[in-house]
Each structure stands twice: as C-alpha cells, then as structure tokens.
Amino acid sequence: MRNRFLGAILVATAVVAGSLTPSAAVAAPPPSTERVPVGTLLDQLRVEAPSTVKYNRDLFFEGADLDGDGCRTRPEVLLEESDIPTTVTGACTVTGGQWFSYYDNVTHIDPAAIEMDHLVALKEAWASGAWAWTDAQRQSYSNDLDDQRTLTMVTAAVNTAKADKDPASWLPPYRPMRCNYVSEWVAVKWRWNLSVDPVEKSAIQTLLRECGPQWDAWMPATPAVGRPSAPPMPDPVGVYRFWSPVYQGHFFTTDPTERDQIIARWPNVWTYEGQRYTAFTTQVAGTIPLYRFWSSTYSGHFYTADPTERAAVIAKWPNIWKDEGIAYYVYPADSTQAGTVPVARFWSNSAAHHFYTADAAERDAVLAKWWRVWIYEGDNFRVPSSGIPVPQPPQQPQPPQQPGNPGDTRNCTDFANYAAAKEWFDRFYPYYGDVAKLDFDNDGIPCETLPGAP
C-alpha cells in the first residue's frame, strides 16, 4: 500500500463510508532517500504563463498496462493504496478493499465510489509544459506508478470538484491535509519539470508559510523516460505599424497577411511604416496580454497592457471603445527581463489618438519637437530590444562611373531635339571635352539649332 502522508506524519480520524474502522497508513518505499524543503523544490520550478496550445487529452494514452502484468493503471493504484487486502475477480478487477481519500478525510470500501486522480491534472500538466513532450513522456506521466504522489484514489465527488484546478483555485476540503497536498503538488511538478504560473506559486508560498519552514518532502526521482526538457521558447514576431493621415492615428498588427492587405487596399488611408518592434503571439514566461480596443467615434485603436485600465475602459466607455481582445503579449512596464526596452505612450488632444514607440530616438524627437501636440504618458509596456530596427546611416553618393570615349561619332542631326543632344553632350564632356564637336562656339550649349535649344 502507498503512504499519502509525505510532508509529516499526521494521524487523522477518518469518516468511514460503510461503517468500517480505518486502518493506519503503512509507509511504502520512498521515491528516494533524500528529503528536501518543499520551498527549495518550488523555487526550482519555471514560473511562466500557462500555454495556450490547444489541449488534447487523447495524447496522454491513459489506462495503459506499462509493466505488462495484466493490470491497467486504475486497478494498480487500487491495489497499492488499499489499507486491507483487496478482493480481485477476473484478470484484474478490484471489487473490494479499503481506501482513504485524504482530500476529504473519508474512507471507502466500494471502489465504485472513488476515482483515480492525477494530482496535477492532465490538462494542467499540458498547459504547464506537457504540450511539448513526446508521446512516451505523456503516456508515462498519465500512468506514473513509480512515484506514489502522481496518482491517488479519492472520493469521486471531490475529484469532480477539483477538476483541473491548481492550488490557487482549489485545495482539499480537509484542511489538515493541505500542507501534504501542496507538497505533493510541488514534488510532482518538479519530477516532471512542469512550470507554475505566478498566481499558483504565490498561493503555494502562502500555504507553505503556514505549514512552517521545516516542511519537507522526499526528493522526486527522475522518470524512467527521462525528465522532460523545458518547452522551447517561441520566437517573437514582428509588430508592423501604419500611420493614417486621414484618421491621424496609428495601427499595429503582427499578422503579415493583414499587413499586406492594408498596403494593397488602402494605400491612400494607411501609410506603412515597417516593423517597429517585436512581441509574442503566445504567452511566454514573464509576459502579459496587450489588449486592443477600436473606437468608431475616434476612428482609431487604443492599446493597453494594464488590466485595471482595460477594466475601466470597458466599464466607463462601452459605447465608445469596443474591446477586441488580446493583440499580442508583451512584458510589463516594470519588468526586469533582460534584453527588453520600454514602449512609450503619448496622447494627443487634437488628434484624439494615442501614439506608441519603442524607438528611444523617436520618443525623444516627439518630446522635443511636438510636445504641444503629443503628451507623454510614460512607459506602457516593454518588448524585446532585438526587434527594434537599427537606424541606417545615410548612403553617401557614389561618384558616377566614367563612360568609355565615344569618339567623334555623332552629329547634331542624329538627335531629335536639343534635350537629347544636351544629355549626350553632358555625359561625355566632363571626361573627354567636346569630342564630337557639337558646341561650335564653345558656350556650353550644343546643337543650338535643334528644337528646344535656349
């Protein structure tokens, strides 16, 4: 049987379903011989926003018989976690035993009343990094019998209430087991190299402070398939900017198709200004959404990375600004992420539009030259510095290449008009003089008798 009391030895009085007296939990072999503070494991987890890659539960291949003994994962866990000898019929159908649901402090004798819970639900694992795993890694995770913390039998209704929530949204209703629960949560995430989001980590830290600094756990072992690598960091994409002399405002897009359509269809309305910076189309560690609004009243867009400002705009001016959702993902204005630059925001009372720039030189030029038109509102967010176009120095004019000597091969009658004769004369005169003798009086005017001559 498997021991659920991993953070500390706790003795709890169980509410017994079926009037059975609960037996004491007997310790199973630990996953390692080393104990480590849970806070240490938590600090080693990546902190990043959940992935937005579409979830596919089928890719986890649940209910496998990985050891080939004829028992699939659920009966394996039923057999291991029963506090008394189990009753088994057929190949591997568990019909009797006794199981302690530590989420709600209830003991069951009917296997139909309990469900096998992935402590870190499959959907939560997917969003925390499993979307990038191999099929073998996902199958190993969903059928993980090598670390007793990954899977456990719990009351069916409680498992339904938990669903795919993390500790920021759900904790076991039986409070004495909450420290154990978050300890196991952190251990499972560490074992499988899964990330935590900022709110999730903060909630776990708060609870661990209540558990006490001595709270520790068995050090997780590396899975048999190998500890998964962190998902690859997506590359930022270009953010393209247009200026409209008609609407006196800017428009930004990360969509090359939309960019090309605007260039092709509305060249008289929108002037293409090229890539101005880069951002992310999926949320990565440390980034936040940049929200976009459209106003028919002002014929322009408004962008904000401040959720409080966004909520205020939605609440106060619903008839003026239409919330168009997330434009892309950026770093907060106060982010300390290396390799980023601030995006300054300006407001114009006369144009009734905002202006955004990640180019420090452009920002300073606006501050110096057009401060009466554009009011500086500070830095609104940050973006990767690698995406800012580097100003190119002006090209130096190249000296014209010397033409070959044409010799005395032309007469004034060979040219249709004076302009054609003058073009030919000026091309060769600096190098060879009046080689064809077109300027008879040496006044710099060749073929004076042709039409158009001065």
Side-chain angles (χ1 to χ4, degrees):
M1 61 192 70
R2 307 201 303 176
N3 176 28
R4 305 308 310 163
F5 305 97
L6 300 176
I9 299 176
L10 298 177
V11 178
T13 301
V15 177
V16 182
S19 300
L20 281 180
T21 303
S23 62
V26 178
S32 73
T33 59
E34 178 187 358
R35 294 190 72 85
V36 61
V38 177
T40 299
L41 292 179
L42 179 63
D43 288 340
Q44 293 176 12
L45 300 181
R46 301 186 316 281
V47 180
E48 59 189 34
S51 171
T52 57
V53 177
K54 187 177 180 180
Y55 172 54
N56 187 346
R57 188 184 184 99
D58 292 341
L59 295 179
F60 282 92
F61 309 102
E62 295 179 80
D65 177 14
L66 297 186
D67 59 6
D69 66 352
C71 284
R72 296 184 182 274
T73 304
R74 173 182 161 83
E76 291 272 21
V77 178
L78 284 170
L79 291 170
E80 290 185 6
E81 289 200 347
S82 178
D83 292 335
I84 62 174
T86 56
T87 302
V88 181
T89 62
C92 192
T93 301
V94 180
T95 58
Q98 180 174 289
W99 298 272
F100 174 60
S101 171
Y102 84 93
Y103 290 179
D104 54 345
N105 191 33
V106 174
T107 296
H108 297 272
I109 60 172
D110 181 4
I114 54 178
E115 293 180 351
M116 185 187 74
D117 180 44
H118 290 85
L119 183 77
V120 178
L122 299 183
K123 188 174 184 179
E124 167 68 20
W126 175 276
S128 303
W131 63 270
W133 292 354
T134 64
D135 287 345
Q137 288 170 330
R138 282 189 286 262
Q139 178 174 263
S140 183
Y141 175 80
S142 67
N143 301 278
D144 186 10
L145 299 173
D146 294 330
D147 191 312
Q148 55 201 15
R149 294 167 287 198
T150 307
L151 301 169
T152 187
M153 305 308 300
V154 298
T155 303
V158 175
N159 188 43
T160 300
K162 172 180 175 282
D164 58 1
K165 300 181 181 71
D166 66 29
S169 303
W170 188 90
L171 288 170
Y174 184 50
R175 299 184 67 89
M177 292 303 291
R178 288 183 174 181
C179 292
N180 280 8
Y181 178 79
V182 296
S183 297
E184 296 193 356
W185 181 277
V186 172
V188 171
K189 283 217 161 181
W190 190 97
R191 170 172 161 82
W192 290 94
N193 198 16
L194 296 169
S195 65
V196 289
D197 65 57
V199 177
E200 174 190 355
K201 182 173 183 178
S202 178
I204 295 172
Q205 288 174 323
T206 297
L207 185 56
L208 288 178
R209 284 194 291 269
E210 299 174 5
C211 299
Q214 77 283 358
W215 201 268
D216 58 10
W218 295 112
M219 183 70 185
T222 299
V225 292
R227 192 164 182 246
S229 301
M233 178 78 167
D235 294 327
V237 300
V239 178
Y240 309 105
R241 191 174 81 181
F242 290 83
W243 163 255
S244 174
V246 177
Y247 300 130
Q248 293 293 296
H250 287 95
F251 170 69
F252 296 83
T253 182
T254 60
D255 185 346
T257 301
E258 184 177 44
R259 174 201 63 192
D260 295 344
Q261 287 177 345
I262 293 173
I263 292 173
R265 296 180 183 180
W266 300 289
N268 297 326
V269 177
W270 293 102
T271 302
Y272 180 52
E273 296 185 325
Q275 178 181 310
R276 306 310 297 176
Y277 54 84
T278 60
F280 298 95
T281 54
T282 58
Q283 194 167 17
V284 302
T287 62
I288 58 175
L290 180 72
Y291 300 100
R292 188 172 87 177
F293 290 82
W294 164 256
S295 173
S296 299
T297 304
Y298 298 120
S299 297
H301 285 92
F302 164 65
Y303 302 81
T304 181
D306 183 344
T308 302
E309 184 177 46
R310 174 185 179 237
V313 172
I314 293 173
K316 296 179 181 179
W317 301 290
N319 297 325
I320 296 177
W321 292 103
K322 177 185 177 183
D323 183 11
E324 294 188 329
I326 299 172
Y328 39 86
Y329 295 90
V330 296
Y331 293 97
D334 59 356
S335 172
T336 58
Q337 178 73 30
T340 62
V341 296
V343 174
R345 190 173 86 177
F346 294 83
W347 165 255
S348 172
N349 288 317
S350 58
H353 284 103
H354 283 89
F355 168 65
Y356 305 80
T357 181
D359 185 337
E362 185 177 46
R363 176 201 63 201
D364 294 343
V366 173
L367 288 169
K369 298 179 180 180
W370 298 292
W371 56 271
R372 289 186 177 88
V373 177
W374 294 102
I375 301 169
Y376 179 52
E377 294 187 332
D379 297 332
N380 195 242
F381 52 90
R382 299 180 72 88
V383 294
S385 56
S386 58
I388 311 300
V390 178
Q392 298 298 319
Q395 296 294 322
Q396 297 297 323
Q398 299 297 318
Q401 186 175 0
Q402 180 173 337
N405 190 337
D408 187 7
T409 57
R410 291 293 184 98
N411 295 313
C412 287
T413 55
D414 294 325
F415 302 100
N417 51 44
Y418 170 75
K422 185 71 164 67
E423 188 278 328
W424 193 95
F425 178 82
D426 289 344
R427 192 189 323 159
F428 298 105
Y429 185 85
Y431 304 101
Y432 308 110
D434 187 12
V435 65
K437 301 180 179 61
L438 304 180
D439 182 12
F440 299 105
D441 53 6
N442 296 318
D443 62 355
I445 302 176
C447 303
E448 296 178 14
T449 59
L450 289 176

